[in-house]
Amino acid sequence: MSSSNFIRKLSGEKTPIWFLKLLGNIWFPYLGAGITVDEVTPDYLYIKVSMKMRWYNKNYVGTHFGGSLYAMTDPFYMLMLMNNLGRGYIVWDKAASIDFKKPGQGKVTAEFKMTSDEIADIKAKADASGKYIFDKTVNI
């Protein structure tokens, strides 16, 4: 594939799955934290990421560093929406919070799920008011 076709492909409606996984797995903040993008469905309605416990992502008491856990959740709902809403919409992470239930140890995973109905609802609400802000939860 020539570079001009590659650029057109990337500027199309959806980012190729292989490219998102590659970028997610070599992007320095994720690489440095040991975070991997394990699965992305072609419809961008499901993404799974994981992080193994390593010496470099442990905190002082030997559990997963909270910043790495937080980083593991940061861009994925935004990416899912960007790839499902298309070019006519600006998607931005406005805020996030974390509620630690118990220490993260071993391999941890996060699954990001949306439905076609949720996407349609978000689109309708954004179209109606010009902007829509919502909360979505992910468990690690």
Side-chain angles (χ1 to χ4, degrees), residues 91-112:
V91 181
W92 201 260
D93 284 335
K94 184 175 167 117
S97 64
I98 191 166
D99 183 15
F100 294 103
K101 304 283 184 177
K102 64 181 183 177
Q105 297 177 313
K107 181 179 179 180
V108 293
T109 60
E111 295 179 295
F112 303 85

Side-chain angles (χ1 to χ4, degrees), residues 22-128:
L22 174 68
L23 188 62
N25 289 323
I26 64 169
W27 186 47
F28 188 73
Y30 276 19
L31 191 61
I35 299 166
T36 59
V37 179
D38 300 318
E39 187 176 347
V40 181
T41 57
D43 57 8
Y44 276 89
L45 294 178
Y46 176 82
I47 297 176
K48 180 180 177 184
V49 300
S50 62
M51 180 173 56
K52 291 180 181 176
M53 178 75 80
R54 307 269 193 215
W55 65 268
Y56 54 83
N57 61 12
K58 285 184 184 180
N59 63 20
Y60 187 73
V61 294
T63 61
H64 277 291
F65 173 62
S68 298
L69 292 168
Y70 190 82
M72 168 178 189
T73 66
D74 184 33
F76 296 105
Y77 282 125
M78 179 182 75
L79 291 170
M80 293 166 84
L81 282 171
M82 289 172 70
N83 281 282
N84 277 289
L85 294 176
R87 293 176 157 267
Y89 296 85
I90 297 170
V91 181
W92 201 260
D93 284 335
K94 184 175 167 117
S97 64
I98 191 166
D99 183 15
F100 294 103
K101 304 283 184 177
K102 64 181 183 177
Q105 297 177 313
K107 181 179 179 180
V108 293
T109 60
E111 295 179 295
F112 303 85
K113 302 173 189 175
M114 295 192 91
T115 66
S116 297
D117 290 341
E118 284 179 295
I119 301 290
D121 184 54
I122 289 167
K123 185 174 183 172
K125 289 177 179 174
D127 289 344

